[in-house]
Amino acid sequence: MKFELPALPYESGALEPVIGKQTVELHHGKHFQAYITNLNNLVPGTKYENMDLVDIVKDSDGPVFNNAGQALNHEIYFSSFSPKGGGEPTGKLGEAIKAQFGDFENFKKEFNAAAVSVFGSGWAWLASDAEGKLHITKEANGSNPVVKGLNPLLGFDVWEHAYYLDYQNRRPDHVNALWNIIDWNVVGARY
Ligand code: MN
């Protein structure tokens, strides 16, 4: 299987001021592309050659895991945003958030706390289990909730490459601003 960089579903400057044009172009065009390129160089001739990303991430370790994990993470990440995003989720996901976290504001508070407290490079995720229960997880480096048997719904990338040009060391400000561009139609459809 040859992995390909998915095109952005918006213009590279469309997420400003939450994520700057240069950050989107470097993050998507260089970082995400590098994970795809590395993966395409690593899997030929291995058992991963014809597996999809999720199966590779569940099964692999080392460089294959790191690059497949980041390919999966960024595919979910970049497709979760819209310049018309923000607000609160409705439908099934909105109801589940209210049932489990009390209200959306409280959910956001718990998610932000997870994202801000990831030490070093990694991710914060909202994921669901087989019973539909929601989980907020912290993943180091290139990991993804699929390794815990969970279904990833929304991931915040807290590697410095995701925010340093726009926010420098102010990760909390970046995390807080991301809620303004979440496309809940896309995220809710994953639940
Ligand atoms: Mn990234």
Side-chain angles (χ1 to χ4, degrees), residues 111-124 138-139 156-164 166-178:
F111 191 100
N112 287 352
V116 166
S117 63
V118 171
F119 184 75
S121 297
W123 293 75
K138 297 200 274 187
E139 307 293 338
F156 280 15
D157 187 347
V158 292
W159 286 55
E160 286 185 343
H161 68 220
Y163 62 85
Y164 213 83
D166 301 316
Y167 298 84
Q168 293 81 47
N169 63 317
R170 301 187 309 279
R171 187 195 288 183
D173 292 351
H174 171 65
V175 165
N176 216 27
L178 281 179

PDB file of all heavy atoms in Angstrom, residues 111-124 138-139 156-164 166-178:
ATOM      1  N   PHE A 111     -10.267  18.387  29.093  1.00  0.00           N
ATOM      2  CA  PHE A 111      -9.445  18.093  27.909  1.00  0.00           C
ATOM      3  C   PHE A 111      -8.225  19.024  27.874  1.00  0.00           C
ATOM      4  O   PHE A 111      -7.098  18.581  27.627  1.00  0.00           O
ATOM      5  CB  PHE A 111     -10.295  18.251  26.641  1.00  0.00           C
ATOM      6  CG  PHE A 111      -9.620  17.728  25.393  1.00  0.00           C
ATOM      7  CD1 PHE A 111      -9.934  16.481  24.887  1.00  0.00           C
ATOM      8  CD2 PHE A 111      -8.658  18.492  24.726  1.00  0.00           C
ATOM      9  CE1 PHE A 111      -9.303  15.991  23.744  1.00  0.00           C
ATOM     10  CE2 PHE A 111      -8.021  18.009  23.585  1.00  0.00           C
ATOM     11  CZ  PHE A 111      -8.348  16.758  23.094  1.00  0.00           C
ATOM     12  N   ASN A 112      -8.448  20.321  28.116  1.00  0.00           N
ATOM     13  CA  ASN A 112      -7.341  21.280  28.115  1.00  0.00           C
ATOM     14  C   ASN A 112      -6.290  20.906  29.154  1.00  0.00           C
ATOM     15  O   ASN A 112      -5.081  21.011  28.892  1.00  0.00           O
ATOM     16  CB  ASN A 112      -7.844  22.701  28.400  1.00  0.00           C
ATOM     17  CG  ASN A 112      -8.586  23.308  27.232  1.00  0.00           C
ATOM     18  OD1 ASN A 112      -8.615  22.748  26.139  1.00  0.00           O
ATOM     19  ND2 ASN A 112      -9.214  24.457  27.461  1.00  0.00           N
ATOM     20  N   ALA A 113      -6.737  20.475  30.325  1.00  0.00           N
ATOM     21  CA  ALA A 113      -5.797  20.098  31.391  1.00  0.00           C
ATOM     22  C   ALA A 113      -4.933  18.931  30.923  1.00  0.00           C
ATOM     23  O   ALA A 113      -3.723  18.887  31.189  1.00  0.00           O
ATOM     24  CB  ALA A 113      -6.557  19.740  32.661  1.00  0.00           C
ATOM     25  N   ALA A 114      -5.536  17.984  30.214  1.00  0.00           N
ATOM     26  CA  ALA A 114      -4.774  16.843  29.689  1.00  0.00           C
ATOM     27  C   ALA A 114      -3.763  17.337  28.650  1.00  0.00           C
ATOM     28  O   ALA A 114      -2.584  16.980  28.697  1.00  0.00           O
ATOM     29  CB  ALA A 114      -5.722  15.810  29.073  1.00  0.00           C
ATOM     30  N   ALA A 115      -4.211  18.181  27.722  1.00  0.00           N
ATOM     31  CA  ALA A 115      -3.336  18.649  26.634  1.00  0.00           C
ATOM     32  C   ALA A 115      -2.159  19.460  27.170  1.00  0.00           C
ATOM     33  O   ALA A 115      -1.023  19.314  26.716  1.00  0.00           O
ATOM     34  CB  ALA A 115      -4.140  19.479  25.635  1.00  0.00           C
ATOM     35  N   VAL A 116      -2.432  20.304  28.144  1.00  0.00           N
ATOM     36  CA  VAL A 116      -1.391  21.171  28.689  1.00  0.00           C
ATOM     37  C   VAL A 116      -0.362  20.360  29.485  1.00  0.00           C
ATOM     38  O   VAL A 116       0.810  20.705  29.536  1.00  0.00           O
ATOM     39  CB  VAL A 116      -2.047  22.287  29.547  1.00  0.00           C
ATOM     40  CG1 VAL A 116      -1.018  23.006  30.411  1.00  0.00           C
ATOM     41  CG2 VAL A 116      -2.763  23.284  28.635  1.00  0.00           C
ATOM     42  N   SER A 117      -0.794  19.246  30.076  1.00  0.00           N
ATOM     43  CA  SER A 117       0.095  18.490  30.961  1.00  0.00           C
ATOM     44  C   SER A 117       0.839  17.340  30.274  1.00  0.00           C
ATOM     45  O   SER A 117       1.562  16.607  30.929  1.00  0.00           O
ATOM     46  CB  SER A 117      -0.683  17.956  32.157  1.00  0.00           C
ATOM     47  OG  SER A 117      -1.674  17.044  31.724  1.00  0.00           O
ATOM     48  N   VAL A 118       0.660  17.192  28.952  1.00  0.00           N
ATOM     49  CA  VAL A 118       1.500  16.208  28.237  1.00  0.00           C
ATOM     50  C   VAL A 118       2.935  16.702  28.340  1.00  0.00           C
ATOM     51  O   VAL A 118       3.236  17.830  27.950  1.00  0.00           O
ATOM     52  CB  VAL A 118       1.094  16.092  26.750  1.00  0.00           C
ATOM     53  CG1 VAL A 118       2.108  15.246  25.981  1.00  0.00           C
ATOM     54  CG2 VAL A 118      -0.313  15.520  26.605  1.00  0.00           C
ATOM     55  N   PHE A 119       3.832  15.881  28.884  1.00  0.00           N
ATOM     56  CA  PHE A 119       5.222  16.308  29.047  1.00  0.00           C
ATOM     57  C   PHE A 119       5.984  16.046  27.757  1.00  0.00           C
ATOM     58  O   PHE A 119       6.044  14.919  27.275  1.00  0.00           O
ATOM     59  CB  PHE A 119       5.887  15.570  30.214  1.00  0.00           C
ATOM     60  CG  PHE A 119       7.287  16.060  30.479  1.00  0.00           C
ATOM     61  CD1 PHE A 119       7.500  17.279  31.111  1.00  0.00           C
ATOM     62  CD2 PHE A 119       8.389  15.333  30.070  1.00  0.00           C
ATOM     63  CE1 PHE A 119       8.784  17.755  31.345  1.00  0.00           C
ATOM     64  CE2 PHE A 119       9.683  15.802  30.307  1.00  0.00           C
ATOM     65  CZ  PHE A 119       9.873  17.022  30.938  1.00  0.00           C
ATOM     66  N   GLY A 120       6.557  17.112  27.196  1.00  0.00           N
ATOM     67  CA  GLY A 120       7.283  16.954  25.944  1.00  0.00           C
ATOM     68  C   GLY A 120       6.318  16.820  24.774  1.00  0.00           C
ATOM     69  O   GLY A 120       5.263  17.442  24.754  1.00  0.00           O
ATOM     70  N   SER A 121       6.683  16.015  23.791  1.00  0.00           N
ATOM     71  CA  SER A 121       5.901  15.895  22.562  1.00  0.00           C
ATOM     72  C   SER A 121       4.833  14.820  22.696  1.00  0.00           C
ATOM     73  O   SER A 121       5.105  13.732  23.192  1.00  0.00           O
ATOM     74  CB  SER A 121       6.808  15.532  21.393  1.00  0.00           C
ATOM     75  OG  SER A 121       7.736  16.572  21.174  1.00  0.00           O
ATOM     76  N   GLY A 122       3.629  15.126  22.247  1.00  0.00           N
ATOM     77  CA  GLY A 122       2.570  14.131  22.302  1.00  0.00           C
ATOM     78  C   GLY A 122       1.228  14.724  21.923  1.00  0.00           C
ATOM     79  O   GLY A 122       1.162  15.771  21.264  1.00  0.00           O
ATOM     80  N   TRP A 123       0.187  14.057  22.355  1.00  0.00           N
ATOM     81  CA  TRP A 123      -1.175  14.382  21.941  1.00  0.00           C
ATOM     82  C   TRP A 123      -2.150  14.231  23.101  1.00  0.00           C
ATOM     83  O   TRP A 123      -1.934  13.399  23.984  1.00  0.00           O
ATOM     84  CB  TRP A 123      -1.632  13.396  20.850  1.00  0.00           C
ATOM     85  CG  TRP A 123      -0.892  13.527  19.559  1.00  0.00           C
ATOM     86  CD1 TRP A 123       0.386  13.109  19.296  1.00  0.00           C
ATOM     87  CD2 TRP A 123      -1.383  14.114  18.351  1.00  0.00           C
ATOM     88  NE1 TRP A 123       0.712  13.399  17.992  1.00  0.00           N
ATOM     89  CE2 TRP A 123      -0.343  14.010  17.392  1.00  0.00           C
ATOM     90  CE3 TRP A 123      -2.589  14.709  17.981  1.00  0.00           C
ATOM     91  CZ2 TRP A 123      -0.494  14.485  16.081  1.00  0.00           C
ATOM     92  CZ3 TRP A 123      -2.732  15.184  16.685  1.00  0.00           C
ATOM     93  CH2 TRP A 123      -1.696  15.071  15.758  1.00  0.00           C
ATOM     94  N   ALA A 124      -3.241  15.007  23.043  1.00  0.00           N
ATOM     95  CA  ALA A 124      -4.405  14.747  23.896  1.00  0.00           C
ATOM     96  C   ALA A 124      -5.529  14.311  22.976  1.00  0.00           C
ATOM     97  O   ALA A 124      -5.701  14.865  21.875  1.00  0.00           O
ATOM     98  CB  ALA A 124      -4.812  16.002  24.658  1.00  0.00           C
ATOM     99  N   LYS A 138      -3.983  10.841  27.136  1.00  0.00           N
ATOM    100  CA  LYS A 138      -2.734  11.517  26.758  1.00  0.00           C
ATOM    101  C   LYS A 138      -1.860  10.468  26.090  1.00  0.00           C
ATOM    102  O   LYS A 138      -1.722   9.361  26.601  1.00  0.00           O
ATOM    103  CB  LYS A 138      -2.017  12.066  27.994  1.00  0.00           C
ATOM    104  CG  LYS A 138      -2.812  13.130  28.723  1.00  0.00           C
ATOM    105  CD  LYS A 138      -1.926  13.981  29.616  1.00  0.00           C
ATOM    106  CE  LYS A 138      -1.727  13.372  30.977  1.00  0.00           C
ATOM    107  NZ  LYS A 138      -0.994  14.297  31.879  1.00  0.00           N
ATOM    108  N   GLU A 139      -1.295  10.811  24.934  1.00  0.00           N
ATOM    109  CA  GLU A 139      -0.445   9.868  24.199  1.00  0.00           C
ATOM    110  C   GLU A 139       0.922  10.508  23.975  1.00  0.00           C
ATOM    111  O   GLU A 139       1.004  11.648  23.530  1.00  0.00           O
ATOM    112  CB  GLU A 139      -1.063   9.509  22.842  1.00  0.00           C
ATOM    113  CG  GLU A 139      -2.506   8.997  22.900  1.00  0.00           C
ATOM    114  CD  GLU A 139      -2.655   7.641  23.586  1.00  0.00           C
ATOM    115  OE1 GLU A 139      -1.666   6.893  23.661  1.00  0.00           O
ATOM    116  OE2 GLU A 139      -3.761   7.358  24.077  1.00  0.00           O
ATOM    117  N   PHE A 156      -5.612  16.768  19.800  1.00  0.00           N
ATOM    118  CA  PHE A 156      -4.851  18.023  19.806  1.00  0.00           C
ATOM    119  C   PHE A 156      -3.370  17.659  19.805  1.00  0.00           C
ATOM    120  O   PHE A 156      -2.892  16.988  20.712  1.00  0.00           O
ATOM    121  CB  PHE A 156      -5.166  18.863  21.054  1.00  0.00           C
ATOM    122  CG  PHE A 156      -6.454  19.645  20.983  1.00  0.00           C
ATOM    123  CD1 PHE A 156      -7.418  19.374  20.013  1.00  0.00           C
ATOM    124  CD2 PHE A 156      -6.720  20.652  21.907  1.00  0.00           C
ATOM    125  CE1 PHE A 156      -8.609  20.102  19.960  1.00  0.00           C
ATOM    126  CE2 PHE A 156      -7.900  21.383  21.865  1.00  0.00           C
ATOM    127  CZ  PHE A 156      -8.852  21.109  20.895  1.00  0.00           C
ATOM    128  N   ASP A 157      -2.672  18.140  18.795  1.00  0.00           N
ATOM    129  CA  ASP A 157      -1.231  17.923  18.659  1.00  0.00           C
ATOM    130  C   ASP A 157      -0.523  18.938  19.541  1.00  0.00           C
ATOM    131  O   ASP A 157      -0.658  20.144  19.332  1.00  0.00           O
ATOM    132  CB  ASP A 157      -0.859  18.136  17.181  1.00  0.00           C
ATOM    133  CG  ASP A 157       0.579  17.790  16.850  1.00  0.00           C
ATOM    134  OD1 ASP A 157       1.385  17.613  17.781  1.00  0.00           O
ATOM    135  OD2 ASP A 157       0.880  17.701  15.641  1.00  0.00           O
ATOM    136  N   VAL A 158       0.226  18.454  20.537  1.00  0.00           N
ATOM    137  CA  VAL A 158       0.953  19.405  21.384  1.00  0.00           C
ATOM    138  C   VAL A 158       2.468  19.282  21.214  1.00  0.00           C
ATOM    139  O   VAL A 158       3.237  19.679  22.082  1.00  0.00           O
ATOM    140  CB  VAL A 158       0.520  19.335  22.879  1.00  0.00           C
ATOM    141  CG1 VAL A 158      -0.914  19.834  23.025  1.00  0.00           C
ATOM    142  CG2 VAL A 158       0.649  17.943  23.461  1.00  0.00           C
ATOM    143  N   TRP A 159       2.891  18.694  20.074  1.00  0.00           N
ATOM    144  CA  TRP A 159       4.302  18.845  19.684  1.00  0.00           C
ATOM    145  C   TRP A 159       4.535  20.344  19.434  1.00  0.00           C
ATOM    146  O   TRP A 159       3.647  21.039  18.910  1.00  0.00           O
ATOM    147  CB  TRP A 159       4.589  18.086  18.374  1.00  0.00           C
ATOM    148  CG  TRP A 159       4.665  16.608  18.471  1.00  0.00           C
ATOM    149  CD1 TRP A 159       3.724  15.755  18.982  1.00  0.00           C
ATOM    150  CD2 TRP A 159       5.743  15.779  17.999  1.00  0.00           C
ATOM    151  NE1 TRP A 159       4.152  14.456  18.870  1.00  0.00           N
ATOM    152  CE2 TRP A 159       5.392  14.436  18.267  1.00  0.00           C
ATOM    153  CE3 TRP A 159       6.969  16.036  17.382  1.00  0.00           C
ATOM    154  CZ2 TRP A 159       6.219  13.364  17.934  1.00  0.00           C
ATOM    155  CZ3 TRP A 159       7.786  14.967  17.048  1.00  0.00           C
ATOM    156  CH2 TRP A 159       7.418  13.648  17.334  1.00  0.00           C
ATOM    157  N   GLU A 160       5.716  20.833  19.753  1.00  0.00           N
ATOM    158  CA  GLU A 160       5.949  22.277  19.561  1.00  0.00           C
ATOM    159  C   GLU A 160       5.791  22.710  18.103  1.00  0.00           C
ATOM    160  O   GLU A 160       5.437  23.851  17.823  1.00  0.00           O
ATOM    161  CB  GLU A 160       7.325  22.671  20.103  1.00  0.00           C
ATOM    162  CG  GLU A 160       7.331  22.690  21.631  1.00  0.00           C
ATOM    163  CD  GLU A 160       8.634  23.179  22.230  1.00  0.00           C
ATOM    164  OE1 GLU A 160       9.660  23.205  21.518  1.00  0.00           O
ATOM    165  OE2 GLU A 160       8.618  23.528  23.417  1.00  0.00           O
ATOM    166  N   HIS A 161       6.017  21.794  17.147  1.00  0.00           N
ATOM    167  CA  HIS A 161       5.879  22.186  15.734  1.00  0.00           C
ATOM    168  C   HIS A 161       4.448  22.620  15.408  1.00  0.00           C
ATOM    169  O   HIS A 161       4.214  23.281  14.412  1.00  0.00           O
ATOM    170  CB  HIS A 161       6.376  21.090  14.772  1.00  0.00           C
ATOM    171  CG  HIS A 161       5.575  19.826  14.730  1.00  0.00           C
ATOM    172  ND1 HIS A 161       6.154  18.565  14.653  1.00  0.00           N
ATOM    173  CD2 HIS A 161       4.246  19.593  14.724  1.00  0.00           C
ATOM    174  CE1 HIS A 161       5.215  17.645  14.597  1.00  0.00           C
ATOM    175  NE2 HIS A 161       4.044  18.247  14.643  1.00  0.00           N
ATOM    176  N   ALA A 162       3.496  22.227  16.244  1.00  0.00           N
ATOM    177  CA  ALA A 162       2.095  22.572  15.986  1.00  0.00           C
ATOM    178  C   ALA A 162       1.755  24.007  16.363  1.00  0.00           C
ATOM    179  O   ALA A 162       0.757  24.552  15.886  1.00  0.00           O
ATOM    180  CB  ALA A 162       1.176  21.612  16.754  1.00  0.00           C
ATOM    181  N   TYR A 163       2.568  24.615  17.214  1.00  0.00           N
ATOM    182  CA  TYR A 163       2.162  25.940  17.718  1.00  0.00           C
ATOM    183  C   TYR A 163       3.286  26.944  17.940  1.00  0.00           C
ATOM    184  O   TYR A 163       3.032  28.110  18.228  1.00  0.00           O
ATOM    185  CB  TYR A 163       1.358  25.786  19.015  1.00  0.00           C
ATOM    186  CG  TYR A 163       2.117  25.143  20.170  1.00  0.00           C
ATOM    187  CD1 TYR A 163       2.917  25.899  21.012  1.00  0.00           C
ATOM    188  CD2 TYR A 163       2.025  23.770  20.398  1.00  0.00           C
ATOM    189  CE1 TYR A 163       3.612  25.307  22.067  1.00  0.00           C
ATOM    190  CE2 TYR A 163       2.715  23.172  21.450  1.00  0.00           C
ATOM    191  CZ  TYR A 163       3.506  23.943  22.283  1.00  0.00           C
ATOM    192  OH  TYR A 163       4.188  23.359  23.319  1.00  0.00           O
ATOM    193  N   TYR A 164       4.553  26.525  17.816  1.00  0.00           N
ATOM    194  CA  TYR A 164       5.619  27.404  18.291  1.00  0.00           C
ATOM    195  C   TYR A 164       5.731  28.719  17.514  1.00  0.00           C
ATOM    196  O   TYR A 164       5.996  29.771  18.090  1.00  0.00           O
ATOM    197  CB  TYR A 164       6.973  26.669  18.314  1.00  0.00           C
ATOM    198  CG  TYR A 164       7.825  27.160  19.455  1.00  0.00           C
ATOM    199  CD1 TYR A 164       7.651  26.656  20.743  1.00  0.00           C
ATOM    200  CD2 TYR A 164       8.761  28.176  19.268  1.00  0.00           C
ATOM    201  CE1 TYR A 164       8.398  27.134  21.813  1.00  0.00           C
ATOM    202  CE2 TYR A 164       9.513  28.655  20.328  1.00  0.00           C
ATOM    203  CZ  TYR A 164       9.329  28.132  21.598  1.00  0.00           C
ATOM    204  OH  TYR A 164      10.058  28.611  22.657  1.00  0.00           O
ATOM    205  N   ASP A 166       3.379  30.453  16.198  1.00  0.00           N
ATOM    206  CA  ASP A 166       2.256  31.336  16.532  1.00  0.00           C
ATOM    207  C   ASP A 166       2.177  31.679  18.015  1.00  0.00           C
ATOM    208  O   ASP A 166       1.702  32.751  18.375  1.00  0.00           O
ATOM    209  CB  ASP A 166       0.930  30.679  16.116  1.00  0.00           C
ATOM    210  CG  ASP A 166       0.881  30.381  14.624  1.00  0.00           C
ATOM    211  OD1 ASP A 166       1.282  31.256  13.834  1.00  0.00           O
ATOM    212  OD2 ASP A 166       0.451  29.272  14.252  1.00  0.00           O
ATOM    213  N   TYR A 167       2.570  30.746  18.868  1.00  0.00           N
ATOM    214  CA  TYR A 167       2.340  30.926  20.315  1.00  0.00           C
ATOM    215  C   TYR A 167       3.613  30.787  21.145  1.00  0.00           C
ATOM    216  O   TYR A 167       3.543  30.916  22.362  1.00  0.00           O
ATOM    217  CB  TYR A 167       1.313  29.896  20.819  1.00  0.00           C
ATOM    218  CG  TYR A 167      -0.046  30.027  20.180  1.00  0.00           C
ATOM    219  CD1 TYR A 167      -0.327  29.428  18.949  1.00  0.00           C
ATOM    220  CD2 TYR A 167      -1.063  30.760  20.790  1.00  0.00           C
ATOM    221  CE1 TYR A 167      -1.578  29.545  18.355  1.00  0.00           C
ATOM    222  CE2 TYR A 167      -2.317  30.887  20.214  1.00  0.00           C
ATOM    223  CZ  TYR A 167      -2.561  30.278  18.986  1.00  0.00           C
ATOM    224  OH  TYR A 167      -3.798  30.402  18.405  1.00  0.00           O
ATOM    225  N   GLN A 168       4.755  30.507  20.493  1.00  0.00           N
ATOM    226  CA  GLN A 168       6.005  30.227  21.220  1.00  0.00           C
ATOM    227  C   GLN A 168       5.739  29.187  22.321  1.00  0.00           C
ATOM    228  O   GLN A 168       5.231  28.141  22.031  1.00  0.00           O
ATOM    229  CB  GLN A 168       6.630  31.534  21.764  1.00  0.00           C
ATOM    230  CG  GLN A 168       7.136  32.458  20.651  1.00  0.00           C
ATOM    231  CD  GLN A 168       6.011  33.259  20.039  1.00  0.00           C
ATOM    232  OE1 GLN A 168       5.206  33.830  20.762  1.00  0.00           O
ATOM    233  NE2 GLN A 168       5.945  33.309  18.722  1.00  0.00           N
ATOM    234  N   ASN A 169       6.059  29.533  23.570  1.00  0.00           N
ATOM    235  CA  ASN A 169       5.913  28.547  24.645  1.00  0.00           C
ATOM    236  C   ASN A 169       4.509  28.511  25.253  1.00  0.00           C
ATOM    237  O   ASN A 169       4.265  27.762  26.192  1.00  0.00           O
ATOM    238  CB  ASN A 169       6.921  28.863  25.764  1.00  0.00           C
ATOM    239  CG  ASN A 169       6.640  30.215  26.389  1.00  0.00           C
ATOM    240  OD1 ASN A 169       6.359  31.177  25.680  1.00  0.00           O
ATOM    241  ND2 ASN A 169       6.711  30.303  27.696  1.00  0.00           N
ATOM    242  N   ARG A 170       3.571  29.298  24.709  1.00  0.00           N
ATOM    243  CA  ARG A 170       2.259  29.425  25.346  1.00  0.00           C
ATOM    244  C   ARG A 170       1.297  28.326  24.887  1.00  0.00           C
ATOM    245  O   ARG A 170       0.286  28.586  24.243  1.00  0.00           O
ATOM    246  CB  ARG A 170       1.690  30.822  25.098  1.00  0.00           C
ATOM    247  CG  ARG A 170       2.596  31.939  25.632  1.00  0.00           C
ATOM    248  CD  ARG A 170       1.955  33.310  25.533  1.00  0.00           C
ATOM    249  NE  ARG A 170       1.426  33.620  24.203  1.00  0.00           N
ATOM    250  CZ  ARG A 170       2.149  34.048  23.168  1.00  0.00           C
ATOM    251  NH1 ARG A 170       3.445  34.221  23.294  1.00  0.00           N
ATOM    252  NH2 ARG A 170       1.584  34.306  22.016  1.00  0.00           N
ATOM    253  N   ARG A 171       1.630  27.101  25.222  1.00  0.00           N
ATOM    254  CA  ARG A 171       0.778  25.971  24.820  1.00  0.00           C
ATOM    255  C   ARG A 171      -0.671  26.124  25.305  1.00  0.00           C
ATOM    256  O   ARG A 171      -1.602  25.837  24.549  1.00  0.00           O
ATOM    257  CB  ARG A 171       1.370  24.645  25.315  1.00  0.00           C
ATOM    258  CG  ARG A 171       0.608  23.449  24.762  1.00  0.00           C
ATOM    259  CD  ARG A 171       0.921  22.153  25.494  1.00  0.00           C
ATOM    260  NE  ARG A 171       2.247  21.632  25.204  1.00  0.00           N
ATOM    261  CZ  ARG A 171       2.692  20.468  25.695  1.00  0.00           C
ATOM    262  NH1 ARG A 171       1.910  19.732  26.488  1.00  0.00           N
ATOM    263  NH2 ARG A 171       3.898  20.046  25.400  1.00  0.00           N
ATOM    264  N   PRO A 172      -0.892  26.594  26.546  1.00  0.00           N
ATOM    265  CA  PRO A 172      -2.295  26.741  26.998  1.00  0.00           C
ATOM    266  C   PRO A 172      -3.113  27.671  26.100  1.00  0.00           C
ATOM    267  O   PRO A 172      -4.294  27.413  25.852  1.00  0.00           O
ATOM    268  CB  PRO A 172      -2.164  27.305  28.418  1.00  0.00           C
ATOM    269  CG  PRO A 172      -0.802  26.874  28.882  1.00  0.00           C
ATOM    270  CD  PRO A 172       0.067  26.898  27.646  1.00  0.00           C
ATOM    271  N   ASP A 173      -2.498  28.761  25.608  1.00  0.00           N
ATOM    272  CA  ASP A 173      -3.236  29.696  24.744  1.00  0.00           C
ATOM    273  C   ASP A 173      -3.603  29.030  23.416  1.00  0.00           C
ATOM    274  O   ASP A 173      -4.697  29.235  22.880  1.00  0.00           O
ATOM    275  CB  ASP A 173      -2.387  30.950  24.449  1.00  0.00           C
ATOM    276  CG  ASP A 173      -2.170  31.800  25.698  1.00  0.00           C
ATOM    277  OD1 ASP A 173      -2.818  31.511  26.721  1.00  0.00           O
ATOM    278  OD2 ASP A 173      -1.341  32.732  25.636  1.00  0.00           O
ATOM    279  N   HIS A 174      -2.663  28.247  22.891  1.00  0.00           N
ATOM    280  CA  HIS A 174      -2.920  27.535  21.637  1.00  0.00           C
ATOM    281  C   HIS A 174      -4.055  26.525  21.804  1.00  0.00           C
ATOM    282  O   HIS A 174      -4.996  26.479  21.004  1.00  0.00           O
ATOM    283  CB  HIS A 174      -1.645  26.827  21.170  1.00  0.00           C
ATOM    284  CG  HIS A 174      -1.857  25.914  20.016  1.00  0.00           C
ATOM    285  ND1 HIS A 174      -2.242  26.364  18.769  1.00  0.00           N
ATOM    286  CD2 HIS A 174      -1.782  24.562  19.918  1.00  0.00           C
ATOM    287  CE1 HIS A 174      -2.378  25.331  17.958  1.00  0.00           C
ATOM    288  NE2 HIS A 174      -2.116  24.233  18.630  1.00  0.00           N
ATOM    289  N   VAL A 175      -3.959  25.729  22.853  1.00  0.00           N
ATOM    290  CA  VAL A 175      -4.977  24.703  23.120  1.00  0.00           C
ATOM    291  C   VAL A 175      -6.352  25.351  23.275  1.00  0.00           C
ATOM    292  O   VAL A 175      -7.348  24.896  22.709  1.00  0.00           O
ATOM    293  CB  VAL A 175      -4.574  23.908  24.386  1.00  0.00           C
ATOM    294  CG1 VAL A 175      -5.733  23.101  24.938  1.00  0.00           C
ATOM    295  CG2 VAL A 175      -3.364  23.014  24.083  1.00  0.00           C
ATOM    296  N   ASN A 176      -6.395  26.443  24.001  1.00  0.00           N
ATOM    297  CA  ASN A 176      -7.653  27.132  24.237  1.00  0.00           C
ATOM    298  C   ASN A 176      -8.258  27.686  22.948  1.00  0.00           C
ATOM    299  O   ASN A 176      -9.476  27.652  22.755  1.00  0.00           O
ATOM    300  CB  ASN A 176      -7.386  28.274  25.227  1.00  0.00           C
ATOM    301  CG  ASN A 176      -8.538  28.463  26.158  1.00  0.00           C
ATOM    302  OD1 ASN A 176      -9.288  27.520  26.428  1.00  0.00           O
ATOM    303  ND2 ASN A 176      -8.699  29.683  26.626  1.00  0.00           N
ATOM    304  N   ALA A 177      -7.394  28.156  22.040  1.00  0.00           N
ATOM    305  CA  ALA A 177      -7.868  28.747  20.782  1.00  0.00           C
ATOM    306  C   ALA A 177      -8.373  27.690  19.801  1.00  0.00           C
ATOM    307  O   ALA A 177      -9.237  27.970  18.963  1.00  0.00           O
ATOM    308  CB  ALA A 177      -6.746  29.564  20.135  1.00  0.00           C
ATOM    309  N   LEU A 178      -7.841  26.473  19.891  1.00  0.00           N
ATOM    310  CA  LEU A 178      -8.211  25.433  18.916  1.00  0.00           C
ATOM    311  C   LEU A 178      -9.712  25.148  18.889  1.00  0.00           C
ATOM    312  O   LEU A 178     -10.263  24.763  17.849  1.00  0.00           O
ATOM    313  CB  LEU A 178      -7.461  24.120  19.210  1.00  0.00           C
ATOM    314  CG  LEU A 178      -6.005  24.027  18.755  1.00  0.00           C
ATOM    315  CD1 LEU A 178      -5.428  22.669  19.142  1.00  0.00           C
ATOM    316  CD2 LEU A 178      -5.884  24.233  17.238  1.00  0.00           C
TER     317      LEU A 178
END
